[in-house]
Amino acid sequence: MKVKAYTDGACSGNPGPGGWGVYLIAENNLGKVVKEEALYGKNKETTNQIMELTAAIQALETLKRENVDITIFTDSKYLIDGITKWVFGWIKNNWNTASKKPVANRLLWERLLDLTKNQNVDWVWVKGHAGVLGNEKADLLAVKGREEASSELAG
């Protein structure tokens, strides 16, 4: 079984109302799609980075067993660089950045790192709004969450 997870975050203002979206595709060993799932959520007061991290966390939390081959596609350089490069230095520096400041969103980074420990995760950056179908679907889900959060604030 292989899983592809397209993740995205959206925010109006930074901070402001936001949403996250995940479009999951599970394939058997022959590459046949056996399951598709669309997930999204909202937050009335958040940031774009928090929504990007939350989407990746939600994708990993859907996995029901360990050692799943999962590829997470994201258009967030913050997420990709954070989880594949920066996090190792942050840990070494007791969760401080190179400039000795506390890492923003530390609890989310710690949760994300913990969720990757027993999975086979590949991280892939994709250009946003470039016609990648899974990424476009994740974006629509994130926007739906953001719009729901915005309308709750207005209503």
Side-chain angles (χ1 to χ4, degrees):
M1 177 84 69
K2 293 183 188 250
V3 177
K4 294 177 184 173
Y6 293 87
T7 67
D8 203 9
C11 199
S12 290
N14 213 10
W20 58 266
V22 178
Y23 177 64
L24 289 163
I25 305 166
E27 299 174 343
N28 66 18
N29 292 336
L30 300 173
K32 182 176 189 252
V33 174
V34 294
K35 184 176 181 182
E36 290 180 71
E37 192 171 358
L39 310 167
Y40 77 98
K42 62 188 176 230
N43 191 312
K44 291 180 187 173
E45 184 73 12
T46 190
T47 67
N48 192 56
Q49 284 96 348
I50 289 172
M51 292 295 90
E52 296 284 359
L53 285 163
T54 300
I57 288 166
Q58 292 295 324
L60 288 165
E61 285 183 342
T62 66
L63 302 177
K64 303 292 185 235
R65 58 192 217 295
E66 294 183 353
N67 297 314
V68 172
D69 293 325
I70 181 168
T71 302
I72 298 180
F73 298 88
T74 177
D75 60 11
S76 170
K77 291 273 192 182
Y78 172 73
L79 175 58
I80 288 284
D81 288 344
I83 198 65
T84 64
K85 300 175 190 172
W86 304 335
V87 73
F88 307 106
W90 294 337
I91 292 168
K92 196 168 102 176
N93 293 330
N94 198 26
W95 288 96
N96 288 302
T97 65
S99 59
K100 309 270 189 268
K101 293 181 180 162
V103 171
N105 307 312
R106 174 182 171 174
L107 294 177
L108 292 172
W109 285 113
E110 288 178 323
R111 178 73 183 132
L112 183 60
L113 195 59
D114 187 55
L115 288 166
T116 64
K117 285 183 180 162
N118 297 315
Q119 304 300 349
N120 304 314
V121 184
D122 284 323
W123 296 92
V124 177
W125 180 81
V126 294
K127 185 174 173 62
H129 309 288
V132 177
L133 183 61
N135 181 257
E136 298 294 338
K137 288 184 177 187
D139 178 67
L140 289 172
L141 292 163
V143 168
K144 182 177 180 179
R146 181 191 70 204
E147 288 174 353
E148 285 183 13
S150 291
S151 66
E152 287 175 9
L153 286 170

